């Protein structure tokens, strides 16, 4: 007699998972073994336990055999524990009387030897049977979910997510660290494969964000601290001083005109340094919010305290400029969070063989995006630094990607954007364009057609990874050119192709501070540094922290359509939580057995959430279930065994340990 | 430590004799403690790996064991020896089976492999002892106005580079600058000279030499400085064929970096083996003539 | 089975180590079948008594795995585990049990490869150590009869 | 012009070959090759090769043993390691070339007259005898086998080197105890059944 005092009547269900489990584990043998374990009334094998007929088996057996405990041995509980809890509940049993163990990820997929795998599966089932007998019926606690959301990152992913949530009537705080929203997409001229103008589709959305009554836009701001849990996060946002009051600035730009620096002389970050700006600047004309920013690094007054402050004069009685502006910290309360922090492009200084930084006519693809952009530094002209149009341009794919020496992953978007750039460069300059690729990856709606179109337009498509870009000629035609050395692998011959301009199709990388952001929000990163989704297929925008979702390229390389789809998916997930209004919390909280508690206080200091307090009257510890997160630290530490974590009591865990040591 | 275990290698006893002479002279002049590794054997070079890798590694391993017995780090001027010794150490760590076989065999000869022994090139050694600053102070005949191509060759740059970032290193350039000479930008700093090909598949080898020489001349260099006996030999001995047969009359002397350094330190040219070169180093400027006289 | 095969109990935290083990599975990495993983929510739930309990019931080793320092899903449970682990090591010394039999590892959710590596390594170590033997209190023949005995080291 | 039939039947391939080569140090990632051609493009000698290094890898992987071992490519490799550091999947192509050369020599492949191979063999023998490689001795051995023509072509250069003291006419470099090196090599050869030349 264990758990809630009844005699256990256990049903054991072992899943074949097609051949995923049955291919390595002799399932019938495990079932036979389970039948003879103490308390087991029925044990069954089924092809797919998670399917409806599989679940029905459990439900029927609960009725038929009067089962009061269930063990399911199949895939990882992280995947299907909730499925079997639901089935158990539908069968008329408390859902916390089921124990789900893993004989797929932990057994059949990782062991080759059938004998060993079967032995291990039996041991695991044994552990589950012993522990399930101790499980008690539990009632999960429900907590309210605030109807407001935080969206971090104002690129196309963040913009989309914010608008979707705002349209559904939720309040959104959109935090962006740059002076303007728009992200990488705002830098592009055209988007593949349709070649529609990026600004034409993006800027209306940017404006919509600014104008939406449900969106609080916080640019030039960064999240500093995150506290709380699903439904009730407390977030601190630091607003950097832009030395201009956003509500007073009308975007007339007269201050820029009036600045004591007559000529722009500082590299404009938005144009990747291809153009210059003044200390007071607006990154690009359609920036949102449409207000100026003063850069403290270059502003004379902010650096030296001395300047005629002609900008203030020009601003006049609008009084928007304020050199005394201080950083501000805002405290927000939100129910859900969407991370859309995007990516960074690969720094080609890390592949010196391509001569970036050494030869002035070697550019990154992002720099070329600015060059071909009609609102860019050259007004859309593709010209070399000397102002002349190039006659030949080479675009090198996979720079930094698909290489163990740099980043091993495929950055996914480069093939398509390189084809797009090939088209635009040819269109703007008439240059002959060579694309050097390893594999041409163009899956997607209309993408292969775009590739065909480029081939038809006569772009040279050479299959081979470029070994080097050099300026040392071996042939008179090569004098004064950049020479690209590559094996044309379709032909099997090494070629040297002299060009005027080289474009490096740099890959996508996690943001350099992705690791800090991950810690801030208590989520995980993949080995490469991308934010880790809860499940690669079935929970692609959820994270391991409830209420925190990811959208866009911060989770892995993505193009615009995919990013938008994911942002909307993240918004939908967040909405589902907020619309329901409450969320059930796993009832794995700690409890105190007052009879056993000696009042030693050890647990109180251990709890990171302050969930345990001391009842002065009874002289015992008390757990506030609303605050307890269910880590079990107190249970492990309690010297008298008075504390016990639901679902992970000493009885449960120790029985399982004993059981698996078959 | 009784000083570096100096490992000249076979080439430095023959065609690369002046590299041996100049390295010893510069080490002595700058107070680098060294002593030849007694009874060293051939490292195995590239040719040996073509026969059998285990015996090739065993040859190199014997030298490592000799140095281990002495307890000194190895200094190897020949990049091929540097590479083979380094590679052997790495691979013996990576492939324990092979290590075991070689260790057992060495034990029968009374030798032990021991832990990793530093294998270094004179560029690295001189950078620390006495260091560039100190060398600068001892320069007696600065080679002002001499335009020099820094040529590393392959094996100091890869696959086990003597510096962290071989693409951006300036270790050889720094030594050239210390002598007062001018460094000429050279795209082919680490491009292969053809190695043993000049001797066996001559057309291919000579073409590779041609490419290197032509680029050096195009950049207006007056001398090429190498760190490798094979590079020096190829670039010098095949110049007639590589340039002359292509209608180029100019010739360019090819020195070891130790020779250039030795000259600037004021060491006598014959002590540096300058008389052994097929293309004599005859600088035009008076100040330089003094250095080589 | 002819050769000795050690039995290891794995106490894996739900958020990092257990997820990493799932990843190792999804990636079809192959590792030694000697570890039986018991899932807990946090490595902070790890209690040294679990180790002795496991030894008592036939384990040759225990592997505790949690999130990397600073990454704990519950803020600092892994530090608590670390403290208990340090204490446990001293206890093991006193009992004459080899320290290698209990291992604490930080494994993040993305480190499937590390799960494999740690399990393989630990299995290899335990194969070398052989079955767990609590060292008998060394007793000289003449000491027999002295009541109790007690530890000497 | 003669026409040629180039089809390859599966039965003519040696699948085992790929696995054997992948066993040699540095060739472990042979099967991960993505056929990008970075090795060929980085190679300073590939312009002379009958099969580019990339194709050598592809053919090795697919079991074209005969074609690979009889190709000139493996003898043209100058061991400059440019391919090895470029390879995006970490194939040490230079080591693969060594492994192929070893196989070619063991199995009697390759044109006898390729000097690279004769050089390797002359070098091997000289080192085995003396512990060191006296360049003159290696070259004499090489050209004795390569033929008079090749020797005459090198003679003027040899003379110049002799005059500057860089090539000794008679002396042989030998370690004090060459027997030790011989013992070392023979002991390992016995284990591997290696070359006994």
């Amino acid at each position: 007699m264990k758990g809630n005092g009844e005699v256990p009547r256990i049903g054991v269900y072992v899943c074949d998972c097609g051949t995923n489990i049955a291919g390595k584990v002799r399932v019938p043998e495990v079932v036979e073994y389970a039948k003879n374990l103490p308390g087991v009334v029925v044990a069954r094998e089924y092809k797919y336990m998670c399917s409806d007929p599989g679940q029905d088996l459990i439900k029927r057996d609960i009725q038929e055999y009067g089962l009061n405990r269930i063990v399911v041995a199949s895939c990882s509980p992280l995947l299907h524990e909730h499925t079997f809890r639901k089935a158990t509940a539908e069968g008329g049993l408390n859902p916390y009387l089921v124990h789900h163990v893993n004989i797929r990820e932990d057994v059949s997929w990782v062991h080759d030897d059938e004998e060993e795998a079967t032995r291990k599966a039996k041991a695991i089932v044994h552990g589950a049977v012993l522990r399930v007998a101790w499980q008690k019926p539990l009632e999960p606690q429900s907590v309210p979910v605030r109807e407001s959301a935080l969206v971090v990152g104002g690129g196309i992913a963040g913009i989309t997510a914010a608008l979707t949530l705002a349209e559904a009537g939720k309040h959104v705080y959109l935090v962006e660290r740059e002076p303007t929203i728009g992200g990488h997409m705002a830098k592009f001229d055209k988007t593949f494969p349709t070649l529609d103008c990026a600004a034409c589709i993006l800027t209306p959305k940017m404006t919509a964000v600014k104008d939406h009554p449900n969106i609080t836009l916080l640019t030039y701001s960064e999240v500093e601290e995150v506290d709380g849990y699903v439904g009730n996060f407390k977030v601190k946002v630091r607003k950097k001083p832009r030395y201009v009051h956003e509500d007073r600035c009308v975007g007339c730009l007269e201050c820029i005109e009036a600045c004591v620096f007559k000529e722009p002389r500082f590299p404009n970050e938005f144009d990747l340094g291809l153009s210059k700006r003044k200390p007071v600047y607006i990154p690009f004309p359609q920036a949102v919010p449409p207000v100026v920013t003063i850069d403290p690094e270059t502003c004379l007054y902010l650096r030296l305290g001395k300047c005629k402050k002609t900008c203030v004069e020009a601003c006049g009685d609008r009084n928007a400029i304020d050199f005394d502006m201080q950083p501000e910290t805002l405290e927000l309360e939100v129910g859900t969070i969407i991370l859309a922090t995007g990516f960074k492009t690969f720094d080609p200084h890390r592949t010196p063989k391509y001569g970036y930084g050494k030869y002035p006519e070697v550019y990154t693809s992002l720099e070329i995006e600015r060059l071909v952009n009609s609102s860019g530094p050259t007004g859309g002209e593709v010209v070399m630094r000397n102002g002349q149009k190039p006659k030949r341009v080479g675009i090198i794919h996979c720079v930094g990607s698909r290489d163990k020496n740099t980043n091993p992953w495929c950055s996914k978007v480069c093939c398509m954007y390189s084809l797009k750039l090939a088209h635009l460069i040819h269109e703007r300059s008439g240059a002959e364009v060579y694309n050097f690729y390893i594999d041409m990856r163009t899956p997607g709606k209309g993408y292969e057609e775009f590739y065909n179109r480029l081939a038809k337009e006569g772009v040279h498509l050479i299959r081979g990874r470029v070994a080097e870009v050099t300026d040392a000629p071996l042939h008179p035609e090569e004098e004064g050119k950049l020479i690209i050395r590559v094996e044309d692998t379709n032909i099997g011959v090494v070629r040297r192709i002299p060009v005027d301009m080289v474009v490096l199709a740099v890959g996508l990388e996690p943001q350099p501070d992705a690791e800090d952001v991950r810690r801030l929000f208590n989520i995980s990163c993949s080995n490469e540094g991308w934010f880790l989704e809860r499940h690669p297929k079935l929970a692609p925008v959820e994270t391991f922290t409830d209420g925190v979702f990811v959208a866009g390229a911060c989770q892995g390389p993505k193009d615009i359509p995919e990013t938008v789809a994911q942002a909307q998916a993240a918004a939908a997930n967040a909405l589902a939580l907020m619309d329901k209004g409450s969320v059930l919390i796993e009832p794995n909280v700690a409890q105190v057995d007052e009879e056993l508690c000696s009042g030693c206080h050890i647990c109180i200091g251990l709890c990171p959430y302050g969930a345990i307090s001391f009842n002065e009257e009874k002289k015992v510890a008390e757990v506030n279930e609303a605050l307890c997160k269910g880590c079990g630290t107190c249970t492990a530490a309690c010297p008298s065994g008075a504390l016990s974590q639901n679902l992970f009591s000493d009885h449960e865990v120790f029985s399982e340990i004993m059981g698996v040591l078959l | 430590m009784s000083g570096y275990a100096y490992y000249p290698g076979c080439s430095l006893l023959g065609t690369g004799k002046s590299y041996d002479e100049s390295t010893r002279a510069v080490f002595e002049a700058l107070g680098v403690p060294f002593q030849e590794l007694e009874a060293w054997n051939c490292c195995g070079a590239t040719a040996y790996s073509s026969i059998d890798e285990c015996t090739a590694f065993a040859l190199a391993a014997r030298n490592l064991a000799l140095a281990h017995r002495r307890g000194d780090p190895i200094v190897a001027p020949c990049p091929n020896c540097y590479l083979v010794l380094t590679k052997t150490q790495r691979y013996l760590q990576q492939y324990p089976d092979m290590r075991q076989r070689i260790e057992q065999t060495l034990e029968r000869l009374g030798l032990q492999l021991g832990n990793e022994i530093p294998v270094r090139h004179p560029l690295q050694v001189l950078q620390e002892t006495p260091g560039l600053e100190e060398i600068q102070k001892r320069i007696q005949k600065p080679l002002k106005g001499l335009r020099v191509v820094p040529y590393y060759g392959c094996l100091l740059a890869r696959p086990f580079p003597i510096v962290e970032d071989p693409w951006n290193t300036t270790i050889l350039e720094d030594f050239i600058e210390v002598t007062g000479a001018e460094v000429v930008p050279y795209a082919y700093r680490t491009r292969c000279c053809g190695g043993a090909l000049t001797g066996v598949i001559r057309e291919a080898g000579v073409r590779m030499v041609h490419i290197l020489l032509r680029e050096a001349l195009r950049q207006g260099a007056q001398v090429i400085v190498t760190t490798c006996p094979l590079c020096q030999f190829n670039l010098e001995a095949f110049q007639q064929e590589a340039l002359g047969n292509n209608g180029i009359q100019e010739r360019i002397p090819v020195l070891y970096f130790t020779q250039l350094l030795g000259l600037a330190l004021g060491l006598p040219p014959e002590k540096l083996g300058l008389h052994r070169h097929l293309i004599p180093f005859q600088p035009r400027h008076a100040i330089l003539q003094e250095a080589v006289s | 089975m002819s050769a000795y095969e050690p039995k290891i109990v794995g106490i894996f935290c739900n958020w990092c180590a257990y997820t990493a083990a799932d990843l190792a599975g999804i990636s079809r990495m192959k590792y030694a079948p000697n570890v039986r993983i018991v899932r807990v929510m946090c490595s902070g739930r790890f209690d040294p008594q679990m180790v002795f309990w496991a030894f008592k019931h036939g384990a040759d080793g225990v592997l505790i795995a949690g999130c990397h320092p600073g990454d704990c899903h519950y803020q600092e449970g892994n530090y608590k585990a670390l403290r208990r682990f340090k204490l446990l090591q001293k206890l093991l010394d006193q009992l004459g049990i080899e320290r290698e039999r209990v291992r604490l590892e930080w494994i993040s959710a993305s480190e499937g490869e590390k799960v494999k590596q740690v399990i393989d390594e630990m299995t290899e170590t335990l194969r070398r150590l052989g079955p767990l033997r609590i060292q008998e209190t060394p007793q000289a023949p003449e000491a027999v009869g002295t009541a109790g005995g007690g530890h000497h080291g | 012009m003669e026409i040629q039939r180039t089809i390859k039947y599966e039965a003519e391939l040696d699948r085992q070959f790929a696995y054997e080569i992948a066993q040699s140090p540095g060739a472990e990632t042979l099967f991960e090759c993505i056929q990008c051609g970075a090795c060929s493009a980085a190679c300073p000698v590939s312009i002379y090769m009958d099969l580019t290094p990339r194709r050598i890898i592809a053919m090795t992987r697919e079991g074209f043993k005969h074609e690979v071992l009889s190709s000139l490519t493996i003898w043209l490799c100058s061991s400059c390691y440019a391919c090895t550091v470029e390879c995006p999947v970490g194939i040490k192509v230079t080591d693969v070339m060594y492994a192929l050369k070893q196989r070619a020599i063991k199995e009697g492949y390759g044109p006898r007259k390729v000097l690279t191979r004769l050089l390797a063999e002359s070098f091997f023998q000289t080192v085995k005898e003396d512990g060191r490689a006296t360049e003159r001795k290696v070259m004499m051995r090489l050209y004795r086998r390569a033929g008079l023509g090749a020797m005459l072509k090198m003679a003027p250069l040899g003379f110049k080197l002799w005059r500057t003291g860089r090539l000794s006419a008679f002396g042989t470099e030998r370690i004090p105890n060459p027997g030790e090196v011989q013992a070392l090599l023979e002991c390992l050869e016995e284990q591997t059944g290696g070359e006994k030349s």
Side-chain angles (χ1 to χ4, degrees), chain B residues 175-191:
Chain B
F175 275 96
I176 295 170
E177 275 170 2
V178 147
T179 67
E182 186 188 334
V183 175
V184 172
Y186 190 54
Y188 295 141
R189 295 196 311 171
T190 62
R191 192 185 202 271

Side-chain angles (χ1 to χ4, degrees), chain C residues 82-99:
Chain C
L82 177 63
R83 267 194 256 160
R84 289 173 198 148
F85 177 72
K86 295 274 179 207
L87 184 75
L88 174 73
Q89 285 189 321
K90 286 186 189 150
L91 260 149
L92 292 176
D93 291 347
Q94 286 173 9
L95 294 171
I97 299 172
E98 302 89 341
R99 280 190 174 204

Side-chain angles (χ1 to χ4, degrees), chain B residues 14-141:
Chain B
T15 46
K17 204 161 196 154
S18 60
Y19 195 12
D20 182 47
E21 290 162 337
S22 56
T23 304
R24 288 174 190 266
V26 165
F27 275 7
E28 274 160 24
L30 292 173
V32 176
F34 73 100
Q35 221 172 34
E36 187 166 328
L37 182 68
E38 307 79 32
W40 59 268
N41 60 270
C42 170
C43 71
T46 50
Y48 230 88
S49 295
S50 310
I51 307 283
D52 178 71
E53 85 262 342
C54 191
T55 42
F57 287 132
L59 272 180
R62 180 175 172 273
N63 294 310
L64 295 167
L66 290 176
H68 172 70
R69 188 159 67 188
R70 226 179 89 168
D72 289 330
I74 294 177
V75 58
C78 170
N80 213 322
C81 301
Y82 162 82
L83 165 77
V84 171
L85 294 172
T86 308
K87 182 174 171 178
T88 301
Q89 290 207 114
R90 299 282 171 92
Y91 277 39
L92 289 186
Q93 247 171 30
Q94 218 172 324
Y95 303 101
D97 287 355
M98 189 157 66
R99 185 188 176 98
Q100 207 184 351
R101 278 174 59 198
I102 290 176
E103 259 177 348
Q104 282 170 356
T105 317
L106 283 173
E107 262 164 36
R108 286 197 226 168
L109 306 175
L111 286 168
Q112 273 186 328
L113 257 183
N115 295 331
E116 197 166 315
I117 292 177
V119 177
R120 325 205 57 199
H121 188 264
L123 275 174
Q124 295 168 293
V125 169
L126 288 169
Q127 205 185 29
E128 282 166 20
T129 334
L132 281 167
E133 249 175 68
E134 181 57 31
I135 296 177
Q136 181 85 63
K137 285 184 206 152
R138 304 215 200 157
I139 297 294
Q140 292 184 6
K141 298 181 176 172

